[in-house]
Amino acid sequence: MPPLPEQVRLSQAEDRTKHWKRWGPYLAERAWGTVREDYSQYGTPWEYLPHDAARSRVYRWSEDGILGLCDNHQYLCFALAFWNGKDAILKERMFGVTGNEGNHGEDVKELYYYLEATPTNSYLKGLYKYPQAAYPYTDLVAETLRRTRQDPEYELEDTGIFNERRYFDIFAEYAKNDVDDILIRIRIVNRGPDKADLTFLPTLWFRNTWCWSNQPGEAKPRLSKWGDNQILAEHNILGQYYLTLDGTPEMLFTENETNTERLWGWRGDNTFYKDAFHEYLIHGKREAVNPKPLGTKACAVYRLSIEGQDQAILHFRLARDGSADLARTNWDAVFDTRIAECMDFYGGFDEGLSEEARHVQRQAFAGMFWSRQYYHFVVEDWLKGDPTMPKPPAERWTGRDCSWRHLFNEDVISMPDKWEYPWYAAWDLAFHAVAMAPADPDFAKAQLSLFLREWYMHPNGQIPAYEWAFGDVNPPVHAWAAWRVFKIDQRLKGKPDLSFLERVFHKLLMNFTWWVNRKDSEGANIFEGGFLGLDNIGIFDRSAPLPTGWTLEQSDGSAWMGMYCLNMLKIALQLSLLNSCYEDIASKFFEHFLYISDAINHHEGSGLWDEEDGFYYDRLRLPGTEDKLLRVRSLVGLVPLFATDTIEQQSIDRHPGFKKRMQWFIENRKDLTEGLASMTQGGLEQRRLLSVVNRERLERMLRRLFDETEFLSPYGIRSVSRYHAAHPYELQLDGHNFRIAYEPAESESGTFGGNSNWRGPIWFPMNYLIIETLQRLDHYYGASLTVEFPTGSGKRISVCQAAQLLSVRLAQIFLRDEKGRRPVDGNSRMLQEDPNFNNYTLFYEFFHGDTGKGLGANHQTGWTGLIAKLLQQNGFQAR
């Protein structure tokens, strides 16, 4: 069977015969209020460059826009802008409340959806919902500030702005006729009952790269009017492009330069500013735009009046050759072809799925590929400042990220969310890679490799966490992701990419060493890794230094390292087929795993296991007093399950050196191997099992895991047991009272700040690892291990079946129930019942532990995009 057109494009992009990925949706949705743009004295990015200043102030590191696209170096950008005649601000970028304004942290106050996307961006479709009444900026901020952490977030829908359907649906579609030839179709639908006016501005601009450097010969790019219906873009590196317009509209030109008059009251050398179109349209200042059709930012002006329930359609074309022969009558045919190719491509992932499940899966893939963003940050330049700009404050040299001077990032990277998290997060990215790999394994491999390059990874071996604090400690899941992506890639292509595996393995050795040297303070194989990405799951901020003499021995930190050992062991055995010296390394990871496993279970007695509760807990060691197990039933105590893997007997036989050393441990170190890792007894098909958790403890933990009064929700596994709703955990220590209760929705605690909550809601990445763990356990135990699902039901099933049912529960968050309602949309009548809303899905950061309602960052399709893979591997019909 010949490859599909999108598969051909992916192959051409990978071997660089055609650069299909040069153009994509790489614009951020928020560049204001980020660490990169913060040059304040005390590190206050939200206040230094707020939304109100964003329209007037040039960004240093990146650009933002609405449903736009740019080239992979973000020299030239295209995005949508609009004005309903009532707003106080031209709508050029997404609005939201900052961390200091939000009652649960940052929160975008817009409604928009990613609907379709192919990996090469050959077809993209997004939807932005724009109200016809004045945008309620003031109300959104004031009401959010009034609310407490106990209140839900105040959303755009709550303002009543969408009542009577008085809004526009603005659909943006992009179809590539060729690598550098992009057709753009904008469909604007008036959903309201009456005629409504809209000024629509397709906007083209250059990222400002010229004002930061005083290097001679720095060429400034230029936009100019070309004929009656084209804008010519000229750039010394990118070359020239033409934006062909629909009809012969008015064109406006200005410079992408800071409005110093508005912000600081003084006028520099610039005459025309970034906010000129805002001033021209809303305040009628004709002098704000350049009377000469020249500049570095330009737009066309379409003053539309659309009848109720009617629509307007506009066509544009961004191409390197403005005179290329493609008749406008053929433009829609290109769209039809690309849409059909998109459907065919994703048809390979939806076997056995209902139509609704297919729709959800495609939107999940769309969210992942729309969320790729151009990310640029050079810490050395940020610390020192630019030659033509004021010198940054001295505090910067001892503040945030000062020890990451080597970091030089300029790449297209998968983001958790391009508004709330418009910067990468290393452990999020591991899950992104696994989720995207079935559709684009080469991009997944490239992303994992990127973070191990010397201009990302710290010289000491640490992987950068995220720009708020590159030195924060995230769970070490990179090796797991590399192995999973390697296997997915091998299955798709029919051959193993050992070069990729070997390349990442050598860098991961450095990272593993960093963990051992920095996070095992006593050399006892018990790790104290910081907050480990779980934010406020602990009774206190685990990323902050503890008082002198205190030590927190972390169940999850130690177990993550056990999992890391097994991942590295698996990779080393694979690589030993190339070079036998990897057998020695595999043996070392086998040995290290045994010591970590022993420490978790037996360190100074019972380790981190509590026999009475049948659960793993963190242990707090205090000077001069008895140490304390922190008896919080949470994901922290479930992570030891992840340190589980099987080894095929034939794999052991193929590696005689490894087999010999393994057998030596089994025979001579029974204190490590018996009762801990089931290496002494073959399981299903004589497989061997390596696991921190022995069978007796495993069965006790699984009873809690599948107990609906504890961890098992109708929609997945909760991050904290529901037991703590009636039995909060409290600890009196040094005059302070620490407390954790079950919080199924947004965080009610200010611990660690932000809107993350790991005290009850459902999180996809951890649920996904639980499902994988259950599958591995079944791979060893088979029918000999069954569980009650749910606990107390009397129904016993295999752990593989439990994994499938857990996948179903997670999928049901997005699928309609017997009443036709999607749990993800909560009690919103508009989202649940309005046909112009209820066919669109948002994927969110986490989900209510009891109802499945979506919470947190509402476009965090990155790791929640794992739903696409769960649907693929557990294909099932809607109820």
Side-chain angles (χ1 to χ4, degrees), residues 8 20 35 50 89 130 164 218 233 261 264 279 318 382 424 444 459 484 486 604 627 679 719 740 770 811 854:
V8 172
W20 282 104
V35 169
I89 303 172
Y130 185 45
E164 300 179 333
E218 177 74 17
E261 292 181 84
W264 303 303
E279 296 293 333
L318 182 64
W382 181 74
Y424 61 75
R484 295 295 299 120
F486 167 78
E604 296 190 9
D627 57 292
M679 297 299 296
S719 47
I740 283 186
I770 289 170

Side-chain angles (χ1 to χ4, degrees), residues 824-875:
V824 64
D825 292 328
N827 293 322
S828 168
R829 289 191 61 185
M830 182 181 78
L831 299 182
Q832 294 284 12
E833 300 173 12
D834 190 327
N836 294 314
F837 284 89
N838 65 11
N839 286 317
Y840 307 127
T841 302
L842 295 173
F843 291 89
Y844 292 94
E845 186 177 3
F846 52 90
F847 301 87
H848 194 290
D850 298 328
T851 69
K853 182 182 185 299
L855 301 165
N858 54 20
H859 287 80
Q860 193 158 343
T861 320
W863 59 23
T864 303
L866 287 163
I867 185 60
K869 194 167 189 310
L870 289 178
L871 287 170
Q872 179 194 13
Q873 66 191 35
N874 296 284

Side-chain angles (χ1 to χ4, degrees), residues 542 552-556 617-619 628-630 636:
R542 300 195 301 171
L552 182 66
E553 297 178 349
Q554 291 182 243
S555 171
D556 52 339
Y617 296 120
D618 284 350
R619 184 183 296 276
K628 300 176 182 294
L629 281 176
L630 304 181
V636 166

